[in-house]
Amino acid sequence: MTTTRLRPPPLPTARGPLSAAVVDALRDGTEPDVSALPDPYGDDLQLALYTLYELHYQGFADVPEHLEWDTGLLALRARLEARFLDALRADVPLGADDTPEAVLDELQVEPVGEAGISHFLRDRGALGHAREYAAMRSLYHLKEADPHAWVIPRLRGRAKAAMVAVEYDEFGAGRADEIHAQLFADLMADLGLDTAYGTYLDAAPAEALATVNLMSLFGLHRSLRGALVGHFATVEVTSSPASRRLAQALERIGAGPAAVRFYTEHVEADAVHEQVVRHDVVAGLLEHEPQLADDVVFGVRATTYLEDRLAERLLSAWRAGATALRSGYSESAGAG
């Protein structure tokens, strides 16, 4: 089992005036002075939002822990969340015939050809591509399942019991070395990456930050519990086939047994989880709160939308022979 850093990561490097104001506020205790907000999907806003959310996870080195509940920072976070959420609602409108069952059925239709990241990595990805992908995904996988755990006290009955059962597996079923976040750290070690939490934040583009921010946004708001369930269902429905391709990719490039195991573990586990989530978590939620059906659909659609944006970023760069990481980082995912 790989030993990872337990101390919080350093503050990130700002990517614009908004994220600079947030970083300065956390470093120096200054009140963030923010007027107009930038592109809701851009680097500046997504990094600022990610940084504020991270106060609820591991925090940052030398940042006082009481700032997690600083009223000024929470007020700013609310503005950024509203900007992000408004953009998502505009970009993923719900169809008149959309139902949770229908949109989850759509996710089970596999694309033809090299349509996604896992297809590319399986068919022609190189070690550098796998390292880049793991570096970006580490922002979530090193805290895998944590954002989804926030929904547990907001569920009841069958939905709560099923959610806890799935999360129990995600957290290693009582074994520290089987926690999925630990398994991903072992994968990173096999790929020669730094396993310390937060190492690759500065390397990750806005599209990667947005996928993680979405989970935090849904998880931290009781009013978005239906959307979080939709997000969770999307992850579980799509995980098994994609994990199979990623395991095949890592075997082909000789990434190492721990790297392969992370994905083979998800092939079987998530095939089971998919059924539990669909028939007990989603159905159980809607049994008690049928009015949340549109929120579940929104969670599915928003998740797919942001994942598609990330895939486009990665695949367009890789097909052009370039790195998908931010400027200043090499294609091998090491610091520049």
PDB file of all heavy atoms in Angstrom, residues 177-191:
ATOM      1  N   ASP A 177      -6.647  -0.403   3.387  1.00  0.00           N
ATOM      2  CA  ASP A 177      -5.891  -0.615   2.155  1.00  0.00           C
ATOM      3  C   ASP A 177      -6.786  -0.870   0.950  1.00  0.00           C
ATOM      4  O   ASP A 177      -6.304  -0.907  -0.186  1.00  0.00           O
ATOM      5  CB  ASP A 177      -4.890  -1.767   2.313  1.00  0.00           C
ATOM      6  CG  ASP A 177      -5.560  -3.097   2.661  1.00  0.00           C
ATOM      7  OD1 ASP A 177      -6.685  -3.068   3.191  1.00  0.00           O
ATOM      8  OD2 ASP A 177      -4.961  -4.151   2.400  1.00  0.00           O
ATOM      9  N   GLU A 178      -8.115  -1.027   1.188  1.00  0.00           N
ATOM     10  CA  GLU A 178      -9.054  -1.255   0.097  1.00  0.00           C
ATOM     11  C   GLU A 178      -9.919  -0.024  -0.199  1.00  0.00           C
ATOM     12  O   GLU A 178     -10.776  -0.071  -1.079  1.00  0.00           O
ATOM     13  CB  GLU A 178      -9.965  -2.440   0.421  1.00  0.00           C
ATOM     14  CG  GLU A 178      -9.243  -3.777   0.507  1.00  0.00           C
ATOM     15  CD  GLU A 178      -8.689  -4.216  -0.845  1.00  0.00           C
ATOM     16  OE1 GLU A 178      -9.367  -3.979  -1.871  1.00  0.00           O
ATOM     17  OE2 GLU A 178      -7.580  -4.780  -0.883  1.00  0.00           O
ATOM     18  N   ILE A 179      -9.713   1.056   0.547  1.00  0.00           N
ATOM     19  CA  ILE A 179     -10.421   2.300   0.240  1.00  0.00           C
ATOM     20  C   ILE A 179     -10.082   2.700  -1.190  1.00  0.00           C
ATOM     21  O   ILE A 179      -8.917   2.681  -1.583  1.00  0.00           O
ATOM     22  CB  ILE A 179     -10.017   3.408   1.235  1.00  0.00           C
ATOM     23  CG1 ILE A 179     -10.515   3.057   2.640  1.00  0.00           C
ATOM     24  CG2 ILE A 179     -10.570   4.758   0.798  1.00  0.00           C
ATOM     25  CD1 ILE A 179     -10.023   4.022   3.711  1.00  0.00           C
ATOM     26  N   HIS A 180     -11.073   3.057  -1.974  1.00  0.00           N
ATOM     27  CA  HIS A 180     -10.822   3.324  -3.382  1.00  0.00           C
ATOM     28  C   HIS A 180      -9.864   4.492  -3.598  1.00  0.00           C
ATOM     29  O   HIS A 180      -9.102   4.492  -4.574  1.00  0.00           O
ATOM     30  CB  HIS A 180     -12.144   3.559  -4.109  1.00  0.00           C
ATOM     31  CG  HIS A 180     -12.901   2.296  -4.349  1.00  0.00           C
ATOM     32  ND1 HIS A 180     -14.013   2.218  -5.161  1.00  0.00           N
ATOM     33  CD2 HIS A 180     -12.714   1.028  -3.882  1.00  0.00           C
ATOM     34  CE1 HIS A 180     -14.459   0.980  -5.194  1.00  0.00           C
ATOM     35  NE2 HIS A 180     -13.698   0.243  -4.405  1.00  0.00           N
ATOM     36  N   ALA A 181      -9.885   5.468  -2.714  1.00  0.00           N
ATOM     37  CA  ALA A 181      -8.904   6.548  -2.810  1.00  0.00           C
ATOM     38  C   ALA A 181      -7.487   6.014  -2.631  1.00  0.00           C
ATOM     39  O   ALA A 181      -6.547   6.467  -3.291  1.00  0.00           O
ATOM     40  CB  ALA A 181      -9.200   7.630  -1.770  1.00  0.00           C
ATOM     41  N   GLN A 182      -7.318   5.042  -1.749  1.00  0.00           N
ATOM     42  CA  GLN A 182      -6.007   4.423  -1.556  1.00  0.00           C
ATOM     43  C   GLN A 182      -5.611   3.601  -2.778  1.00  0.00           C
ATOM     44  O   GLN A 182      -4.456   3.615  -3.206  1.00  0.00           O
ATOM     45  CB  GLN A 182      -6.015   3.537  -0.317  1.00  0.00           C
ATOM     46  CG  GLN A 182      -4.705   2.818  -0.047  1.00  0.00           C
ATOM     47  CD  GLN A 182      -3.545   3.778   0.148  1.00  0.00           C
ATOM     48  OE1 GLN A 182      -3.607   4.658   1.016  1.00  0.00           O
ATOM     49  NE2 GLN A 182      -2.504   3.643  -0.652  1.00  0.00           N
ATOM     50  N   LEU A 183      -6.567   2.886  -3.353  1.00  0.00           N
ATOM     51  CA  LEU A 183      -6.275   2.115  -4.556  1.00  0.00           C
ATOM     52  C   LEU A 183      -5.836   3.032  -5.690  1.00  0.00           C
ATOM     53  O   LEU A 183      -4.976   2.664  -6.502  1.00  0.00           O
ATOM     54  CB  LEU A 183      -7.498   1.300  -4.983  1.00  0.00           C
ATOM     55  CG  LEU A 183      -7.965   0.206  -4.021  1.00  0.00           C
ATOM     56  CD1 LEU A 183      -9.174  -0.521  -4.605  1.00  0.00           C
ATOM     57  CD2 LEU A 183      -6.843  -0.782  -3.708  1.00  0.00           C
ATOM     58  N   PHE A 184      -6.405   4.240  -5.745  1.00  0.00           N
ATOM     59  CA  PHE A 184      -5.985   5.168  -6.797  1.00  0.00           C
ATOM     60  C   PHE A 184      -4.590   5.705  -6.516  1.00  0.00           C
ATOM     61  O   PHE A 184      -3.802   5.919  -7.450  1.00  0.00           O
ATOM     62  CB  PHE A 184      -6.970   6.324  -6.943  1.00  0.00           C
ATOM     63  CG  PHE A 184      -6.772   7.092  -8.226  1.00  0.00           C
ATOM     64  CD1 PHE A 184      -7.296   6.599  -9.412  1.00  0.00           C
ATOM     65  CD2 PHE A 184      -6.055   8.273  -8.257  1.00  0.00           C
ATOM     66  CE1 PHE A 184      -7.102   7.284 -10.608  1.00  0.00           C
ATOM     67  CE2 PHE A 184      -5.859   8.960  -9.437  1.00  0.00           C
ATOM     68  CZ  PHE A 184      -6.388   8.466 -10.622  1.00  0.00           C
ATOM     69  N   ALA A 185      -4.269   5.932  -5.253  1.00  0.00           N
ATOM     70  CA  ALA A 185      -2.898   6.330  -4.924  1.00  0.00           C
ATOM     71  C   ALA A 185      -1.912   5.246  -5.342  1.00  0.00           C
ATOM     72  O   ALA A 185      -0.814   5.545  -5.852  1.00  0.00           O
ATOM     73  CB  ALA A 185      -2.777   6.618  -3.427  1.00  0.00           C
ATOM     74  N   ASP A 186      -2.289   3.988  -5.149  1.00  0.00           N
ATOM     75  CA  ASP A 186      -1.432   2.882  -5.593  1.00  0.00           C
ATOM     76  C   ASP A 186      -1.293   2.894  -7.115  1.00  0.00           C
ATOM     77  O   ASP A 186      -0.211   2.613  -7.646  1.00  0.00           O
ATOM     78  CB  ASP A 186      -2.021   1.542  -5.130  1.00  0.00           C
ATOM     79  CG  ASP A 186      -2.067   1.407  -3.618  1.00  0.00           C
ATOM     80  OD1 ASP A 186      -1.325   2.140  -2.924  1.00  0.00           O
ATOM     81  OD2 ASP A 186      -2.850   0.571  -3.122  1.00  0.00           O
ATOM     82  N   LEU A 187      -2.375   3.191  -7.824  1.00  0.00           N
ATOM     83  CA  LEU A 187      -2.313   3.331  -9.276  1.00  0.00           C
ATOM     84  C   LEU A 187      -1.324   4.423  -9.673  1.00  0.00           C
ATOM     85  O   LEU A 187      -0.492   4.246 -10.577  1.00  0.00           O
ATOM     86  CB  LEU A 187      -3.699   3.653  -9.826  1.00  0.00           C
ATOM     87  CG  LEU A 187      -3.837   4.028 -11.306  1.00  0.00           C
ATOM     88  CD1 LEU A 187      -5.189   3.584 -11.857  1.00  0.00           C
ATOM     89  CD2 LEU A 187      -3.704   5.546 -11.527  1.00  0.00           C
ATOM     90  N   MET A 188      -1.405   5.562  -8.999  1.00  0.00           N
ATOM     91  CA  MET A 188      -0.517   6.680  -9.314  1.00  0.00           C
ATOM     92  C   MET A 188       0.942   6.296  -9.088  1.00  0.00           C
ATOM     93  O   MET A 188       1.821   6.654  -9.884  1.00  0.00           O
ATOM     94  CB  MET A 188      -0.894   7.902  -8.483  1.00  0.00           C
ATOM     95  CG  MET A 188      -2.259   8.475  -8.806  1.00  0.00           C
ATOM     96  SD  MET A 188      -2.694   9.881  -7.752  1.00  0.00           S
ATOM     97  CE  MET A 188      -1.621  11.161  -8.458  1.00  0.00           C
ATOM     98  N   ALA A 189       1.191   5.564  -8.017  1.00  0.00           N
ATOM     99  CA  ALA A 189       2.568   5.135  -7.746  1.00  0.00           C
ATOM    100  C   ALA A 189       3.086   4.229  -8.857  1.00  0.00           C
ATOM    101  O   ALA A 189       4.233   4.342  -9.291  1.00  0.00           O
ATOM    102  CB  ALA A 189       2.631   4.422  -6.397  1.00  0.00           C
ATOM    103  N   ASP A 190       2.232   3.335  -9.349  1.00  0.00           N
ATOM    104  CA  ASP A 190       2.617   2.462 -10.461  1.00  0.00           C
ATOM    105  C   ASP A 190       2.951   3.259 -11.712  1.00  0.00           C
ATOM    106  O   ASP A 190       3.782   2.841 -12.525  1.00  0.00           O
ATOM    107  CB  ASP A 190       1.486   1.474 -10.768  1.00  0.00           C
ATOM    108  CG  ASP A 190       1.772   0.084 -10.227  1.00  0.00           C
ATOM    109  OD1 ASP A 190       2.767  -0.078  -9.497  1.00  0.00           O
ATOM    110  OD2 ASP A 190       0.998  -0.845 -10.528  1.00  0.00           O
ATOM    111  N   LEU A 191       2.286   4.404 -11.885  1.00  0.00           N
ATOM    112  CA  LEU A 191       2.529   5.241 -13.055  1.00  0.00           C
ATOM    113  C   LEU A 191       3.649   6.244 -12.846  1.00  0.00           C
ATOM    114  O   LEU A 191       3.922   7.065 -13.725  1.00  0.00           O
ATOM    115  CB  LEU A 191       1.240   5.981 -13.438  1.00  0.00           C
ATOM    116  CG  LEU A 191       0.101   5.115 -13.979  1.00  0.00           C
ATOM    117  CD1 LEU A 191      -1.166   5.938 -14.153  1.00  0.00           C
ATOM    118  CD2 LEU A 191       0.494   4.466 -15.305  1.00  0.00           C
TER     119      LEU A 191
END
